[in-house]
Amino acid sequence: MNIMRNRLPGIRPKRVRKASVHRNNLRVATFEGIPSTIFQVLLQGQFLTGFLLYLGASSSQIGFVLALTTLVNVAQIGVAFLIQKLPSRKWAMVTFIGLHRVLWAATGLVPFVFPKEHWVTAFIIMYTIAFIANTAGGMLWTSVISDLVPARVRGRYFGIRNTFLNALGSLVMYGGGVVLDRYPGGHGFLILYIVVWIFSVSNIIVFCFYPDVPFEKSEEKEFLPMFKKPLHDKLFMKSTLFLAAWLLLQNLTVPLYSYVMLQLMHINYQTLSLLNVSQTIFMMASFYVWGNLNARYSNKRLLLWTLPIIALSSLMWGMLSILPVLPVLFAAHIMFGLGVGGFNQLAFNFIIGDTPKKERPMYMAMYAALTGLAAFFGPLIGGKIYEWIIRWPEWTQIYGMQVVVGLLMLALALLLGRRILRDE
């Protein structure tokens, strides 16, 4: 029987709207962030510091581990050149990110495999190799995602993606803190690492569904001419060197906040999780605000506006001398979330939006290398300073460092930032 004859009069058949390839690609990129966020939240920040303390690490060793992730970014310069030779960015990305996920998750086996006196050394070796792999994987992911997300929807897409993933990260962070408070010591970390293994494997699987988007390669075929492209861009280099100096100061204290609160102030994991969740919630709220402002003002100008906010968050620690501990810590974390949310989003937009598309991998690598070196020496120096002042009055270790660094950041923002991060 002819189907057309059986249609009821006045009723049109529903047309099934097929999702575009573009929309599906963005959906895959968003779903990939779910296992990635769970995996990374449970292995970094307060949980990384807590696990290192459980292994017996000192403040300088903790500072070194926290700094390693940025030091290896220097290798991105070589990766930026090598990806020009790749027939497929996708499978190279999957390979390196897969290595990073497996090796980082494997650090949970350290107490079961190595003698106690070698726990910290074994962790550092495995952690270093994992982040060397991540240097290549992260570079490839940034290159792919910048081609995957069109410029016209980039701000909105990353705002929505970041908000959703940070909300998820907040829940995971709080849950992880509850687990460690209920099951202190090795038992709690074993539970966390079981969850980590589940989501590290699922994350690798989801990465396999990423599209292999076309790659617009550099016009330069040799390493040195390609390397010199960003170096000859004066506006880019001035901004990058300034941001590197800023991150050096910021990282003297911020990565060691968890060390101060856990080791010196004896704050429990659940409270620490609530502090970090409050920071993340306000960071998410700031994405919307900074995103709307970005429609009217340039990336560089808005980056400048974020700097005093971050400096103020560090200065607020000084109020611990006269006010109750928890209100001050919540206020400082909230202020930092507002500032660093804008800083991270705008710095990313600056790299993938304000640079030439064909030369973008080398520009991204140069930015990552310079800011990575600065961010490496920050926690390393900060950890050493905490060792030097261990016999000083307790207030110098709990909030004195933060106040001094906050004043230096504010001076840097007002004296140099206003000249460098201005619209040309």
Side-chain angles (χ1 to χ4, degrees):
M1 206 177 224
N2 194 327
I3 295 176
M4 295 297 291
R5 282 188 212 146
N6 290 329
R7 284 182 183 158
L8 293 174
I11 299 178
R12 294 183 180 180
K14 278 187 178 181
R15 294 182 180 178
V16 180
R17 183 184 175 187
K18 293 184 178 180
S20 67
V21 174
H22 166 70
R23 198 176 294 254
N24 281 334
N25 291 344
L26 295 183
R27 193 173 291 123
V28 169
T30 303
F31 284 141
E32 173 273 313
I34 296 173
S36 178
T37 296
I38 297 171
F39 166 85
Q40 293 189 65
V41 165
L42 293 178
L43 285 180
Q44 63 187 8
Q46 67 197 52
F47 304 114
L48 174 58
T49 303
F51 189 58
L52 286 167
L53 289 171
Y54 168 71
L55 295 180
S58 65
S59 62
S60 61
Q61 287 173 322
I62 292 172
F64 178 72
V65 169
L66 296 175
L68 267 175
T69 57
T70 53
L71 175 64
V72 294
N73 283 342
V74 176
Q76 287 196 17
I77 291 175
V79 176
F81 174 71
L82 292 175
I83 65 173
Q84 307 288 333
K85 313 294 181 184
L86 290 174
S88 167
R89 283 183 298 177
K90 171 186 173 178
W91 294 111
M93 176 184 73
V94 172
T95 300
F96 283 110
I97 289 178
L99 281 171
H100 168 254
R101 302 296 193 259
V102 170
L103 287 169
W104 198 5
T107 57
L109 301 175
V110 165
F112 300 99
V113 177
F114 299 96
K116 190 169 184 177
E117 61 269 21
H118 299 309
W119 282 3
V120 176
T121 303
F123 179 94
I124 290 174
I125 292 171
M126 295 173 69
Y127 186 84
T128 302
I129 298 171
F131 275 88
I132 289 172
N134 187 59
T135 297
M139 177 76 190
L140 287 160
W141 180 83
T142 307
S143 174
V144 169
I145 202 75
S146 65
D147 288 341
L148 194 66
V149 183
R152 67 181 183 277
V153 299
R154 194 172 285 150
R156 184 183 176 194
Y157 170 75
F158 283 115
I160 294 171
R161 185 180 189 269
N162 291 341
T163 302
F164 168 67
L165 295 180
N166 277 281
L168 173 64
S170 298
L171 294 174
V172 174
M173 188 184 300
Y174 180 73
V178 171
V179 168
L180 288 183
D181 279 337
R182 188 166 296 179
Y183 303 99
H187 191 185
F189 284 112
L190 176 61
I191 295 171
L192 292 191
Y193 268 97
I194 290 171
V195 177
V196 161
W197 268 105
I198 292 170
F199 285 98
S200 65
V201 172
S202 60
N203 191 208
I204 296 168
I205 292 171
V206 178
F207 265 114
C208 294
F209 290 91
Y210 258 75
D212 202 357
V213 290
F215 182 28
E216 195 171 339
K217 297 185 179 182
S218 171
E219 295 174 354
E220 304 291 347
K221 303 301 180 185
E222 300 297 326
F223 175 75
L224 278 178
M226 194 183 300
F227 176 74
K228 290 177 181 178
K229 286 272 186 174
L231 292 177
H232 291 159
D233 189 332
K234 292 182 180 179
L235 294 178
F236 170 79
M237 287 303 298
K238 280 199 303 183
S239 301
T240 299
L241 289 171
F242 171 79
L243 294 175
W246 176 267
L247 289 172
L248 174 64
L249 280 178
Q250 178 181 300
N251 281 16
L252 286 174
T253 55
V254 173
L256 294 163
Y257 281 176
S258 295
Y259 167 78
V260 172
M261 290 184 284
L262 287 171
Q263 191 77 350
L264 303 178
M265 302 177 72
H266 308 292
I267 291 174
N268 61 38
Y269 283 102
Q270 190 168 342
T271 303
L272 190 55
S273 294
L274 285 173
L275 288 167
N276 287 322
V277 166
S278 66
Q279 175 180 307
T280 305
I281 289 171
F282 279 85
M283 184 168 66
M284 289 187 301
S286 78
F287 290 149
Y288 178 78
V289 176
W290 293 114
N292 282 341
L293 288 171
N294 206 189
R296 298 175 57 191
Y297 303 104
S298 70
N299 292 317
K300 289 203 297 183
R301 179 183 292 192
L302 292 178
L303 268 172
L304 175 62
W305 293 359
T306 67
L307 304 187
I309 299 174
I310 297 172
L312 182 60
S313 73
S314 189
L315 288 170
M316 290 176 77
W317 280 70
M319 293 193 297
L320 288 171
S321 60
I322 55 173
L323 296 176
V325 170
L326 287 181
V328 171
L329 291 180
F330 272 106
H333 278 72
I334 287 168
M335 187 65 66
F336 184 71
L338 293 172
V340 83
F343 182 91
N344 291 340
Q345 184 166 310
L346 293 161
F348 185 77
N349 290 344
F350 166 64
I351 293 303
I352 69 172
D354 294 1
T355 53
K357 185 176 181 181
K358 289 185 178 180
E359 310 301 331
R360 190 170 294 153
M362 188 57 76
Y363 271 78
M364 290 189 297
M366 186 63 67
Y367 177 85
L370 293 174
T371 56
L373 277 173
F376 167 75
F377 286 108
L380 198 62
I381 296 169
K384 279 293 182 185
I385 292 173
Y386 275 108
E387 282 192 352
W388 295 336
I389 65 175
I390 196 168
R391 291 184 176 84
W392 290 22
E394 192 176 47
W395 68 268
T396 62
Q397 302 170 59
I398 292 177
Y399 61 83
M401 271 278 290
Q402 285 85 322
V403 171
V404 171
V405 170
L407 289 171
L408 291 173
M409 287 196 293
L410 194 59
L412 183 66
L414 295 177
L415 296 177
L416 282 180
R418 293 174 62 188
R419 295 171 52 194
I420 293 173
L421 296 179
R422 69 176 191 268
D423 296 329
E424 298 294 336

